[in-house]
Amino acid sequence: MRFSIAVQALGLLSVVSAAPVQKRQILPLSANDESVLQLAVFLENLERTLYTGGYENFTDAEYTAAGFPPGFRENVAVIASVPRFQPLYSLTLANKLIAKHEAIHIGALSGILESYGVAPVPDCTYNFPYNSPTSFVDLANMITTVGIGAYIGGSTLLVDNPNLLEDAASILPMESRHDAYLRTGIGASPFPTAFDTPLTTVWAYNLASMFVVSCPMYLPIILLPKLNLTSPMPPSNLQPPTPAGTILEFAWDPTTFFVSVDPSAPLYIAMINQISPPIFEQVTITGTGMGTVPVPANVSGVAFAVLTTFAGGLNETELTNFGTLAGPAEVVLS
């Protein structure tokens, strides 16, 4: 009986593989399309290297001792690895069954770029600050959240190309599933917010670039002055959530600002969270290049903060284009 079922299944596979594949219309690649795809490959390269390290640097016993469920390390490998590097749409059914997440995303996106004559984005040399299974997963949650935000924000630039929009939309839920699995592994809620937070191309690139040591090719995206969240650090299991009113301490280097700022002028932290408009809090200056703000009400999950001279009235795109003095910084609250 089992043999009969297997034969039927093989027959079904042969029918499927023999069926004609409907080709999608080839649309021009706009400058926005190219920018979004290159950033996506840049982020996927970083994530693949991160997850590969999370698998190779620790044993199953170390994950178990840290409180992770059986099989967690193997699933980290599933997220990272793939035996083939080629476009998603050119893979056979058998290869799709073998191919694994981050690397197949790289193959798919790079294949699209190469089909338009655009050179693929190479791997960089990275420095990931983790030293245990738990600190690896904490970091992976932060980096994967940036990837999710980049796909959401980038989708608004792909509206003129439904093929690319469909490709990006098919990757986005997998990134979210990865993050939910990671968060569950450390005892945090797999779905801390009702909405994820979109990120502009510039902000996503800046957040990811802090882990880059060197690159054979940098993307033509501006790097902004850095904003660092120095306190508090989130608990490793993100429980309990950081409550509203908790004081956040930030640090920045005023000498790196792109514009001249009056030292006596008030500064603000603009906090972006989910799909709400940015929330602006005036900074209490505690020293040169240092200041604090309280966590605003109704902010949860992961938020992103930038330093600005504007007291309000700007959306994320406007903050990106002309309103950011330093940042963004990732603020993990729950």
Side-chain angles (χ1 to χ4, degrees):
M1 183 64 178
R2 291 179 180 174
F3 176 77
S4 174
I5 292 173
V7 170
Q8 292 176 40
L10 288 173
L12 177 59
L13 291 180
S14 65
V15 171
V16 171
S17 62
V21 177
Q22 183 177 0
K23 294 184 177 180
R24 299 192 296 187
Q25 180 184 2
I26 299 177
L27 300 173
L29 190 72
S30 70
N32 278 342
D33 297 338
E34 182 177 336
S35 176
V36 171
L37 290 176
Q38 287 186 316
L39 174 63
V41 177
F42 177 86
L43 293 171
E44 296 286 356
N45 282 339
L46 183 146
E47 289 186 15
R48 177 180 59 177
T49 304
L50 171 70
Y51 285 115
T52 299
Y55 173 77
E56 294 179 346
N57 293 333
F58 307 109
T59 64
D60 290 318
E62 287 175 305
Y63 272 102
T64 300
F68 291 91
F72 190 91
R73 176 173 175 264
E74 295 305 316
N75 281 330
V76 168
V78 167
I79 294 173
S81 63
V82 67
R84 299 287 296 273
F85 182 86
Q86 54 184 309
L88 179 63
Y89 46 76
S90 73
L91 289 172
T92 65
L93 178 60
N95 285 334
K96 285 181 183 177
L97 294 175
I98 299 171
K100 306 301 178 186
H101 308 166
E102 301 299 354
I104 197 173
H105 295 169
I106 296 168
L109 298 166
S110 296
I112 294 170
L113 286 169
E114 288 180 307
S115 71
Y116 285 97
V118 180
V121 179
D123 277 305
C124 301
T125 300
Y126 309 101
N127 178 33
F128 296 116
Y130 65 82
N131 56 17
S132 68
T134 299
S135 60
F136 156 71
V137 173
D138 288 342
L139 180 62
N141 170 48
M142 295 180 68
I143 290 176
T144 304
T145 299
V146 172
I148 293 168
Y151 274 108
I152 298 172
S155 66
T156 63
L157 303 176
L158 299 177
V159 292
D160 59 336
N161 193 322
N163 292 343
L164 297 183
L165 185 60
E166 182 180 278
D167 293 336
S170 68
I171 293 175
L172 173 59
M174 293 308 303
E175 296 291 324
S176 296
R177 290 175 184 177
H178 296 165
D179 193 48
Y181 182 75
L182 293 169
R183 292 178 61 89
T184 301
I186 57 174
S189 169
F191 35 75
T193 57
F195 302 95
D196 279 308
T197 304
L199 291 172
T200 63
T201 298
V202 171
W203 282 12
Y205 185 64
N206 275 262
L207 287 160
S209 291
M210 69 178 65
F211 304 106
V212 172
V213 176
S214 63
C215 271
M217 183 186 89
Y218 291 91
L219 300 186
I221 300 174
I222 188 171
L223 288 175
L224 300 169
K226 291 187 180 349
L227 178 68
N228 297 308
L229 175 66
T230 57
S231 179
M233 294 295 103
S236 61
N237 63 352
L238 306 182
Q239 296 294 332
T242 302
T246 299
I247 298 301
L248 303 175
E249 299 179 6
F250 292 96
W252 59 90
D253 182 354
T255 66
T256 63
F257 293 165
F258 293 158
V259 296
S260 177
V261 177
D262 183 344
S264 64
L267 298 177
Y268 302 86
I269 289 290
M271 192 86 70
I272 294 84
N273 184 238
Q274 304 183 64
I275 58 174
S276 301
I279 300 171
F280 293 76
E281 295 281 350
Q282 185 168 346
V283 176
T284 299
I285 300 298
T286 57
T288 302
M290 297 184 293
T292 65
V293 296
V295 174
N298 302 317
V299 173
S300 59
V302 178
F304 300 92
V306 295
L307 186 71
T308 181
T309 56
F310 290 87
L314 301 185
N315 60 31
E316 185 178 338
T317 299
E318 293 165 335
L319 281 167
T320 300
N321 291 341
F322 60 84
T324 297
L325 286 177
E330 192 166 358
V331 182
V332 181
L333 299 171
S334 62

